[in-house]
Amino acid sequence: MGELGFPTLSFLIFFPLLGAALIFLVKKESLAKFIALGTTLLNLVFGIPLWTNFDKTNPQFQFVETFWWIPFLNAYYKVGIDGISLLFVMLTLLISVLCVLCSWTAIKQRVKEFYALLLMMETIMLGVFCALDMFLFYVFWEAMLIPMFLLIGIWGSHNRIYASVKFVIFTFAGSVLMLIGIIVLYYAGGKTFDVIELSKVQLPVNLQYWLFLAFFVAFAVKVPMFPFHTWLPDAHTEAPTAGSVILAGILLKVGAYGFLRFTIPFCPEATLGLKEMMQIISVIAIIYGALVTLMQTDFKRLIAYSSISHMGFVTLGIFTLNKEAIEGAILQMINHGIVTGALFMCIGVIYERTHTRDLGKYGGLGKVVPIFVFFYTLFSAAAIGFPGTNSFIGEFLIALGVFKDWIFLGAFLPMGFVLGTAYMVWLYYRVVLKEVPAEIKDQLYDLNLREVLMFIPLVVLVFMIGFYPQVFLGVLKDSVIQIINFLT
Amino acid sequence: MINLTPLFPELLFIGFTLFYFVLGLWIKKRVVHSLLVIAFSVLTLLTLFQVQGEAFKGMFVADSFSQTLKLVFLINLGICSLLGMNYSQIKYELFYEFNLLLMLSTLGMMFMVSSKELLSVFLSLEFMSLCLYLLAGFVVTDPKANEASLKYYLLGSMFSALLILGISIFYSIFEGTTFKIIAENLLLISQHPFYLFTGIILILSAFTFKAGLAPFHQWSPDVYEGAPTPVTAFMSVGPKVAAIGVMASFLTEALSQKPELWVGPLIFVALLTAAIGNVLALRQVNLKRLLAYSSIAHAGYLLLAVIACSTSGLKTISFYALVYTFMNLGAFATLISFPQGERINAFLGLSQANLFLAVSMLVFLFSLTGLPPFGGFVAKFFIFKSIIESGYTWVAVISILFSILSAYYYLRVGVKMFFYEGEISLPSTPLSLRLILVFTLSFTIILGIFPFLP
């Protein structure tokens, strides 16, 4: 049972499934989106006690629930959260509501299935962040593929089939080796899947390297890190807006979360041994990602490629392995979820009006749709890492950690910042400034109340983290120290 | 007085078969035929787990491994009889013979997995196979079915001859054919080990043929494609599981003290099978043939569990067999409920025409791929776990890499059903097929979320 005398986490995890079932039970198709909105909103409200009752001074896992599951396998249904998972759980709850809102008018066919899959996706994502049993974790991790495959494949744009199959094959190929890793870990760690027990086990260094490799492939594909990133632009570009928001907001974080939760505690020596290599790969991702982003002419693809660069900062922070950098990396994951999610929503909103993503056909939006441009400007600034916005704090902390750790590598970071500014500003110029092309001028109209409402929570978060990050860093602090303690 | 209690389920089933043999001639309605067969299987099922022990001086043993496999055969029988009822190409007046052959073949399989003696294994194997040869060519007017039947019969007879040759070599070495005698004398034999090795290879190649494992798998795609779909469904589960089951008990009981003689060849066969099954399935355009290749690949995974050579290995096999029965028969049931043809391209846009059919097919395909939360995932997990437990991590790594290929060809079918627009007008699915789909679907999911071993 959780601390609240009620299986809080399990309820949160499985409540969306009830909503999904309800969608199929109710005959009327037009009610589906209202049910989905109600379910996600309620779930967000249910999540509030989690935030208020979370004990920041306690570095252990909280709200832990354990049930017997598969006795002869010694696998439990065990969920619980620490400061890191708490942030991701809250992010997932919020993003899910926004996903329903941003699909409100965009999804016109097979509406019931769409919202049911969105709700299933919420269950699975929450499960991934709460699971404290490797077997349970793997079940959620792999189950994620199924709804995502369908979301991209059915409601995506014209090249959707290629993108969805590529997405599944890449992630499946990455994660099967993790399965072997989990089984090897099970025997090496005394026949248990319990994450807390396993992280206490001191494994032989040789085995640690193999395990690191097995987990690395799975997580690196999800993040995605540099050589494994090719599925991302296709999947992000072809997915419907809600799919892109989920991908950018949550799915990419799962990989980085895996590094923090599993790789570092299970294989500390291997992590220290491979640290420099990981850092170098991350810096390559930052610079390479930014350069490729500069080349893009497709609005959505551009933002998709920018994710590679942004996630490079995250993995760089994680593998710098000191307190500032890891805190920065986690904060940056949240920031990227908020900002890139918001940018995809911006694209979704504007695509619904113009039906084109070709940047050559855009321009001068500032004169036609000022409210839209107001939000878009804010989020662009946040993506650049403008002081006062959330990304500034995250990137600053990462840079601080890197300079403390390896000043030579730190010298490459300004290049990443400059390139990041360059592509966002150039994009801004192409979309907002210039003259309005005639063919899109008539189609454009400004945001309605629903669209404004879905941007507002994100704007609040951007500035809240930007001006007072302590709210989030305070939650994180002890959990991060806990992770660093594994390394010594 | 011989104690016949362990044989009770089989004796009961023989009784039912004879009863049906006589009575079935007067039954006109197809439904009654199928219902009778299902009732027989259910009644036998109920007695199955009540008895345990050995008879005929240990030549016949009913243990939990063989009981679970018999459960698989009886489920297979019931479902395939219902499938046959919905298959228009099986002639109305021949349905009685169809059911009878299914029952007799099932009887052969039941005896096969309980035999702990090579000659009884041979007899029951022949008993099973003769019925299957007939079943494969059951649609007499179809030249493809005739070809399938003849091919299966000729090759099958040859491999039976090899089996009997192997058994005679064993007899000449051990002066006995029970697993017990072989195990007791295995370390004492004076003959050259090569002699024994030849015997092992001959016997194993016969089992390999029956299970459709590489390198003796070539017959199976042709036969599976040519045979009527319900028979294909029946063959893809029952005989395969029976052959692998008997192989497992032969190796782990008779030859467990000299694993160096058979583990190497077995790993080779299993990996080759997984490779061939998965690679050749990639280019198939006919769904039935694709399922045939995928069942070859699955037999490869089943075989991998044999090398674990322990009780956990046997449990793994029975669990995998059980899950495989549900998901594979489910996939065949979907195929039969879809009269437009067997080509994958015929499935374009199925999800709009009949969402239930499309979703259940998708679940079976994902389960066959081994994605959670479906049974196929847990079954594969157990297999890899028992391989790693016995120290062959590299084998697990190679075989899991092949399963990535399988994701591609299963997904292709899903893509056709869900992501394309098509114009399919489906007649409403008959009640019996819907029942089968619900039954197999629920067990595929339940075994994935709450895996339990009977």
Side-chain angles (χ1 to χ4, degrees), chain A residues 1-10 50 54 58 60-67 76-82 130-133 194 196:
Chain A
M1 284 302 126
E3 271 88 336
L4 304 178
F6 178 72
T8 333
L9 281 180
S10 299
L50 213 60
F54 185 82
N58 178 3
Q60 303 304 319
F61 284 95
Q62 303 177 33
F63 302 98
V64 176
E65 296 161 32
T66 316
F67 299 103
Y76 290 84
Y77 171 83
K78 185 171 181 180
V79 290
I81 50 172
D82 65 352
C130 295
L132 285 183
D133 180 283
D194 191 320
I196 302 171

Side-chain angles (χ1 to χ4, degrees), chain B residues 26-317:
Chain B
W26 283 281
I27 299 174
K28 289 279 180 305
K29 280 203 161 150
R30 278 185 167 210
V31 184
V32 184
H33 280 289
S34 276
L35 283 180
L36 263 182
V37 175
I38 290 169
F40 293 154
S41 353
V42 171
L43 285 175
T44 319
L45 266 183
L46 293 178
T47 63
L48 202 57
F49 291 94
Q50 309 299 326
V51 288
Q52 212 157 28
E54 51 178 59
F56 304 119
K57 295 182 179 163
M59 290 184 192
F60 182 98
V61 174
D63 50 9
S64 64
F65 176 59
S66 65
Q67 280 168 339
T68 318
L69 294 192
K70 284 174 201 168
L71 174 74
V72 166
F73 302 146
L74 290 169
I75 295 172
N76 187 27
L77 169 69
I79 293 180
C80 289
S81 169
L82 267 187
L83 289 183
M85 190 179 95
N86 290 293
Y87 193 68
S88 53
Q89 286 184 47
I90 291 175
K91 282 227 184 66
Y92 197 83
E93 58 275 16
L94 287 180
F95 194 53
Y96 157 68
E97 280 91 337
F98 175 78
N99 278 327
L100 194 64
L101 285 172
L102 286 186
M103 284 175 85
L104 288 171
S105 172
T106 304
L107 193 59
M109 294 171 205
M110 287 169 75
F111 273 108
M112 198 163 141
V113 291
S114 269
S115 312
K116 303 287 164 182
E117 197 264 338
L118 284 171
L119 276 179
S120 352
V121 168
F122 175 76
L123 280 179
S124 35
L125 190 129
E126 279 301 279
F127 190 51
M128 168 194 93
S129 305
L130 282 172
C131 304
L132 290 177
Y133 301 147
L134 284 172
L135 280 170
F138 206 76
V139 181
V140 201
T141 46
D142 183 2
K144 256 190 171 173
N146 286 320
E147 183 199 324
S149 178
L150 195 64
K151 212 177 224 171
Y152 193 19
Y153 173 64
L154 289 177
L155 288 172
S157 319
M158 196 186 91
F159 277 92
S160 297
L162 292 185
L163 179 59
I164 207 81
L165 182 59
I167 293 176
S168 48
I169 290 180
F170 262 70
Y171 185 74
S172 70
I173 300 174
F174 297 104
E175 294 175 353
T177 46
T178 60
F179 293 177
K180 229 183 245 167
I181 293 179
I182 297 173
E184 279 164 8
N185 298 318
L186 191 63
L187 298 174
L188 310 170
I189 54 166
S190 53
Q191 280 93 341
H192 197 270
F194 180 72
Y195 197 43
L196 178 64
F197 187 66
T198 316
I200 295 176
I201 292 296
L202 283 172
I203 292 181
L204 286 189
S205 52
F207 292 150
T208 307
F209 172 83
K210 291 291 169 196
L213 294 161
F216 305 121
H217 65 282
Q218 279 95 341
W219 61 275
S220 66
D222 291 346
V223 172
Y224 282 19
E225 195 190 347
T229 315
V231 177
T232 310
F234 186 76
M235 286 199 299
S236 72
V237 176
K240 245 183 206 320
V241 172
I244 286 173
V246 80
M247 202 159 164
S249 64
F250 172 60
L251 292 173
T252 54
E253 283 172 38
L255 299 174
S256 61
Q257 277 148 329
K258 280 204 171 178
E260 70 274 11
L261 279 179
W262 52 269
V263 168
L266 218 58
I267 291 178
F268 173 74
V269 167
L271 289 183
L272 188 68
T273 307
I276 287 180
N278 283 323
V279 170
L280 292 184
L282 285 175
R283 294 194 61 87
Q284 299 308 320
V285 288
N286 182 313
L287 188 56
K288 210 164 140 189
R289 216 174 157 83
L290 187 145
L291 285 174
Y293 277 108
S294 101
S295 79
I296 292 176
H298 281 277
Y301 291 121
L302 262 173
L303 190 64
L304 277 174
V306 178
I307 62 170
C309 181
S310 58
T311 38
S312 85
L314 288 185
K315 265 197 160 168
T316 310
I317 296 177

Side-chain angles (χ1 to χ4, degrees), chain B residues 1-42:
Chain B
M1 182 64 196
I2 305 166
N3 178 18
L4 284 178
T5 3
L7 268 89
F8 184 74
E10 280 81 5
L11 291 178
L12 186 71
F13 195 68
I14 292 178
F16 284 142
T17 316
L18 293 176
F19 179 70
Y20 181 72
F21 187 32
V22 177
L23 193 78
L25 279 174
W26 283 281
I27 299 174
K28 289 279 180 305
K29 280 203 161 150
R30 278 185 167 210
V31 184
V32 184
H33 280 289
S34 276
L35 283 180
L36 263 182
V37 175
I38 290 169
F40 293 154
S41 353
V42 171

Side-chain angles (χ1 to χ4, degrees), chain A residues 255-281:
Chain A
Y257 173 80
F259 280 127
L260 287 170
R261 173 74 69 239
F262 307 113
T263 312
I264 296 179
F266 297 163
C267 331
E269 273 97 0
T271 312
L272 282 172
L274 293 169
K275 176 181 161 221
E276 279 82 14
M277 217 173 100
M278 294 294 131
Q279 285 177 311
I280 291 170
I281 296 180

Side-chain angles (χ1 to χ4, degrees), chain A residues 177-250:
Chain A
L177 283 178
M178 180 166 75
L179 183 63
I180 300 286
I182 289 175
I183 301 173
V184 171
L185 191 65
Y186 171 77
Y187 284 111
K191 297 204 174 189
T192 176
F193 286 114
D194 191 320
V195 175
I196 302 171
E197 294 296 315
L198 283 173
S199 36
K200 288 178 192 153
V201 178
Q202 186 69 35
L203 296 170
V205 178
N206 194 10
L207 182 66
Q208 282 190 19
Y209 275 95
W210 284 110
L211 280 178
F212 186 96
L213 196 70
F215 282 93
F216 171 74
V217 176
F219 297 146
V221 169
K222 248 332 186 262
V223 168
M225 287 175 80
F226 163 61
F228 303 101
H229 63 276
T230 54
W231 64 270
L232 177 132
D234 291 309
H236 274 63
T237 312
E238 303 303 331
T241 306
S244 311
V245 174
I246 290 181
L247 273 169
I250 319 284

Side-chain angles (χ1 to χ4, degrees), chain B residues 311-386:
Chain B
T311 38
S312 85
L314 288 185
K315 265 197 160 168
T316 310
I317 296 177
S318 46
F319 184 77
Y320 198 102
L322 197 62
V323 173
Y324 173 70
T325 311
F326 290 119
M327 57 196 188
N328 210 41
L329 289 182
F332 274 108
T334 329
L335 187 61
I336 288 180
S337 4
F338 187 78
Q340 258 80 351
E342 291 154 5
R343 295 180 64 81
I344 296 178
N345 279 337
F347 284 78
L348 287 187
L350 179 64
S351 68
Q352 276 131 323
N354 190 336
L355 188 64
F356 172 65
L357 218 54
V359 168
S360 40
M361 188 64 167
L362 196 71
V363 169
F364 297 131
L365 292 173
F366 277 136
S367 182
L368 286 165
T369 318
L371 280 182
F374 307 119
F377 163 69
V378 187
K380 270 214 177 103
F381 185 87
F382 286 158
I383 297 254
F384 292 127
K385 183 173 156 285
S386 65

